[in-house]
Amino acid sequence: MGLLCIPIILSRVVPTLLLICCGFFVSQARGVRTPQPERSLPFIWPLPKQFSFGNETLSLDPAFSLSGNGAASPIVRDAFERYKGIVFKNGDRFSFLRTLRPVYDITKLSITVHSKSDELQLGVDESYILTVSTANLLSGAGLTIEANTVFGALRGLEEALPHTFSQLCSFDYTTKNVQIHKAPWSIRDKPRFQYRGLMLDTARHYLPVIVIKQIIESMSYAKLNVLHWHIIDEQSFPFEVPTYPNLWKGSYSNWERYTIEDAHEIVNFSKMRGINVMAEVDVPGHAASWGVGYPDLWPSPSCNQPLDVSKKFTFDVLSGILTDMRKIFPFELFHLGGDEVNTDCWTNTSAVHKWLQKKNMTAEDAYEYFVVKAQNIALTKNWSPVNWEETFNTFPTKLHPQTVVHNWLGPGVCPKAVAKGFRCIFSNQGAWYLDHLNVPWEVVYAAEPLEGIHKASEQKLVLGGEVCMWGETADTSDIQQTIWPRAAAAAGFRVCYGKIGKDGRIEKCGCWIRSCKINNYLFPTERLWSPRDYTSGHASEIALQRLQYFRCLLNRRGVAAAPVTNYNARTAPIGPGSCFVQ
């Protein structure tokens, strides 16, 4: 039954702490029913780039405080208080009744941040160094995080969080103390990909702001750092646009709407967790809802999409939307859609057809014309445009060089895009579309953003990946269990390597180039966080156990993550049992 945490810590401090905080609980919960491989390192999420540890146990003061120049950052202070509340959730709330106060090994966390900037943009430095030191003749035990930015410090605080109850730290139910195991610890970590996203569709079903914030909170547990907000689609236009106030007449109802204040709140809430928000306005298709408030945007009353390419008014409205949104969304990327454009309305509507003839354009030419013009509007707002892959597949030479190609139809697109110098985001629908309920976790797990890309210069153009939660069959009642835990299978799982020495310590650990075995077990870590190279059936075996653990940890945090191995995602457990094995 020993510590699950035998092998490693996670990746961030208090969370690392967190991580550090609960090994015995999980191992006891599973008990003898789920024996662990001897000397293996299961259930570590994610494995840091570099780490070392010892064999001592330290106690953590419930009055644990924050020090260092990082304490001056509102982002760091807020994160510290959140994670402290989680670490000490089961603490001794009646300690004031004691006549003698216990003596604790660690009483504070010192965070050092080298940059004063708190600007959150693509590629921000998320690296950090975490140290848990033991007492010696010159000083007592200590806990420190060093990072170049507040967001690196945030990763140091939060990345261990997903493992709060299964890693290096445990709550002693007798002494009611939080204990850090396997000290001293030294961790150096940074992500593999700069873009680790989740797409959320609020047009097919409206999601209340409180639900969106819950999803953002859970994203931070899996180290995802971009919320792709698919706000508008043909079914509804729930977003307030002050410049064109009739647009949100296309919402499902008066209360299923997002005000500009709601959007600001979501963006600010996300930033406090190191998560960017990339908004999407999908044009020219998927836009029938626009014409509810402004019918002139439709080619005709009986043919309402794509948007009317022949009218200046169409592009005036699009520019107005982007102008208003630019005041809300500071992220440098903006998604312009461009997928699934059926141009029949243009050729079958007499006014648009005459315009095409006058311009000597085919309907396909008009599709290109619309996309390129929309890109230019976004570029004038200081945004880099993101478009679904159909635009690249149809007219790659016409796209602006700053375009980010968003893959979704299948494999093989990112290799072609980066070969032409474009950046790319991987979201292969066969693996990373969460609304495909019959896609098992193993398929999500196995997808690789760099598949087929061998040149280092081209690999750098793959920004990362994104799991997509399309909302046709998901609303507030089932959104979380549809997202989790499969989204974590995409966010996670890389195979790292190491060697266990005679004293039980891990030697020569790493996870960047190739994999090897420790007692025949490969160690999975985050897919979008750490490098991947799995070549053994053991990888899937250990990954499943880790994903089951992670699902249980989400449940403990109040996230309605579904059982891992159900044939269809989000379905209920098949019978009684621990959350650790369902």
Side-chain angles (χ1 to χ4, degrees):
M1 209 152 73
L3 282 179
L4 280 180
C5 29
I6 298 180
I8 34 182
I9 198 171
L10 214 115
S11 53
R12 305 181 183 177
V13 141
V14 169
T16 270
L17 250 190
L18 279 184
L19 250 192
I20 294 183
C21 280
C22 316
F24 275 119
F25 176 85
V26 170
S27 56
Q28 290 172 357
R30 293 180 67 100
V32 297
R33 291 171 295 178
T34 52
Q36 303 305 321
E38 183 178 359
R39 274 191 172 181
S40 67
L41 298 185
F43 320 127
I44 302 304
W45 189 315
L47 194 65
K49 181 184 177 184
Q50 297 177 3
F51 63 91
S52 64
F53 61 91
N55 198 36
E56 296 188 30
T57 298
L58 305 176
S59 60
L60 191 62
D61 191 343
F64 187 58
S65 62
L66 178 63
S67 65
N69 71 349
S73 165
I75 293 174
V76 173
R77 288 199 308 271
D78 183 74
F80 174 79
E81 293 300 329
R82 287 199 311 274
Y83 298 136
K84 181 180 176 181
I86 294 169
V87 171
F88 294 101
K89 183 177 180 180
N90 295 320
D92 185 358
R93 287 161 288 184
F94 299 96
S95 59
F96 63 90
L97 297 175
R98 296 176 178 172
T99 56
L100 295 177
R101 186 176 184 276
V103 176
Y104 298 98
D105 297 307
I106 296 180
T107 60
K108 66 180 180 179
L109 163 64
S110 177
I111 297 181
T112 300
V113 178
H114 297 298
S115 172
K116 295 181 179 179
S117 174
D118 66 354
E119 182 180 6
L120 178 61
Q121 281 294 352
L122 187 67
V124 68
D125 190 335
E126 298 175 272
S127 65
Y128 65 91
I129 300 172
L130 171 67
T131 304
V132 180
S133 60
T134 54
N136 55 45
L137 295 176
L138 300 177
S139 62
L143 178 58
T144 65
I145 293 176
E146 181 181 356
N148 291 323
T149 70
V150 295
F151 301 106
L154 189 62
R155 297 296 176 256
L157 281 165
E158 73 193 5
E159 285 208 1
L161 183 58
H163 306 97
T164 298
F165 300 102
S166 65
Q167 304 295 327
L168 310 177
C169 195
S170 68
F171 178 77
D172 189 311
Y173 280 83
T174 300
T175 64
K176 298 184 179 178
N177 289 337
V178 172
Q179 297 176 336
I180 301 175
H181 299 281
K182 297 296 180 181
W185 281 94
S186 176
I187 296 174
R188 291 175 177 265
D189 203 10
K190 66 178 181 179
R192 179 190 184 200
F193 287 108
Q194 58 186 303
Y195 186 109
R196 308 179 301 280
L198 167 68
M199 193 282 295
L200 197 62
D201 174 8
T202 61
R204 275 48 181 264
H205 282 99
Y206 174 85
L207 296 174
V209 172
I210 189 172
V211 174
I212 295 175
K213 291 166 73 173
Q214 290 168 352
I215 293 169
I216 293 167
E217 191 78 68
S218 59
M219 286 175 64
S220 70
Y221 306 156
K223 293 167 294 301
L224 297 175
N225 70 345
V226 178
L227 173 67
H228 170 186
W229 190 4
H230 187 87
I231 309 173
I232 303 157
D233 212 289
E234 62 185 273
Q235 292 85 1
S236 72
F237 196 115
F239 195 81
E240 180 182 13
V241 179
T243 302
Y244 291 93
N246 290 340
L247 280 170
W248 69 354
K249 287 185 177 181
S251 63
Y252 286 126
S253 67
N254 288 343
W255 67 266
E256 291 173 293
R257 293 174 169 176
Y258 302 104
T259 65
I260 56 174
E261 291 81 8
D262 290 335
H264 275 293
E265 182 179 352
I266 288 168
V267 170
N268 292 335
F269 184 88
S270 298
K271 181 179 180 180
M272 296 298 287
R273 286 148 184 81
I275 295 173
N276 277 301
V277 180
M278 178 178 68
E280 179 179 358
V281 175
D282 196 347
V283 292
H286 291 279
S289 62
W290 298 34
V292 176
Y294 295 97
D296 284 349
L297 294 170
W298 290 334
S300 73
S302 61
C303 206
N304 55 23
Q305 64 181 12
L307 295 170
D308 193 334
V309 67
S310 69
K311 292 177 181 174
K312 177 179 179 296
F313 179 62
T314 300
F315 297 98
D316 289 342
V317 172
L318 178 59
S319 181
I321 294 171
L322 268 59
T323 296
D324 288 347
M325 285 188 164
R326 197 57 172 118
K327 300 171 185 176
I328 302 169
F329 299 101
F331 191 40
E332 66 191 69
L333 302 182
F334 189 90
H335 209 302
L336 289 167
D339 62 314
E340 298 180 321
V341 179
N342 184 334
T343 59
D344 288 350
C345 270
W346 290 345
T347 55
N348 296 333
T349 301
S350 59
V352 180
H353 183 66
K354 289 179 182 178
W355 181 86
L356 290 173
Q357 290 180 319
K358 183 179 179 180
K359 296 288 187 179
N360 195 28
M361 285 185 182
T362 65
E364 289 71 23
D365 294 334
Y367 170 38
E368 173 193 314
Y369 169 84
F370 199 115
V371 168
V372 171
K373 193 160 186 174
Q375 286 196 334
N376 288 332
I377 293 172
L379 288 161
T380 64
K381 316 296 182 190
N382 199 29
W383 266 320
S384 292
V386 183
N387 283 100
W388 294 108
E389 68 173 71
E390 287 95 324
T391 60
F392 172 79
N393 295 338
T394 308
F395 41 88
T397 62
K398 302 299 183 180
L399 296 175
H400 193 277
Q402 290 185 30
T403 301
V404 178
V405 178
H406 195 166
N407 152 251
W408 75 277
L409 287 173
V413 174
C414 280
K416 295 177 182 177
V418 299
K420 292 185 179 294
F422 292 107
R423 293 174 292 172
C424 192
I425 296 170
F426 176 89
S427 291
N428 180 359
Q429 66 169 335
W432 284 7
Y433 266 34
L434 300 175
D435 59 312
H436 294 191
L437 302 181
N438 62 347
V439 174
W441 73 269
E442 297 96 332
V443 174
V444 182
Y445 165 98
E448 168 53 42
L450 296 184
E451 182 178 2
I453 304 173
H454 307 293
K455 293 181 179 179
S457 60
E458 294 180 355
Q459 289 179 346
K460 291 178 181 178
L461 294 175
V462 178
L463 299 182
E466 174 182 295
V467 288
C468 297
M469 182 63 259
W470 295 105
E472 286 88 347
T473 64
D475 65 5
T476 299
S477 69
D478 61 2
I479 187 73
Q480 289 277 37
Q481 55 264 52
T482 309
I483 295 173
W484 307 109
R486 288 185 305 156
F493 303 127
R494 291 288 165 198
V495 176
C496 295
Y497 60 93
K499 176 183 178 183
I500 293 183
K502 294 180 180 180
D503 60 355
R505 295 194 182 195
I506 301 176
E507 302 172 351
K508 300 180 181 178
C509 277
C511 54
W512 288 101
I513 301 175
R514 43 176 67 96
S515 65
C516 59
K517 302 176 183 177
I518 297 181
N519 291 354
N520 294 321
Y521 282 87
L522 294 175
F523 309 132
T525 67
E526 304 283 341
R527 175 176 307 288
L528 293 174
W529 184 266
S530 303
R532 169 186 184 244
D533 181 16
Y534 66 93
T535 57
S536 166
H538 290 300
S540 295
E541 176 184 342
I542 298 301
L544 173 58
Q545 296 177 55
R546 291 186 63 252
L547 192 55
Q548 288 172 323
Y549 264 67
F550 186 64
R551 179 255 174 170
C552 190
L553 299 178
L554 289 173
N555 288 170
R556 288 184 59 85
R557 291 303 320 280
V559 179
V564 174
T565 57
N566 288 355
Y567 177 77
N568 284 318
R570 80 183 181 207
T571 51
I574 59 175
S578 167
C579 65
F580 291 110
V581 295
Q582 293 182 331

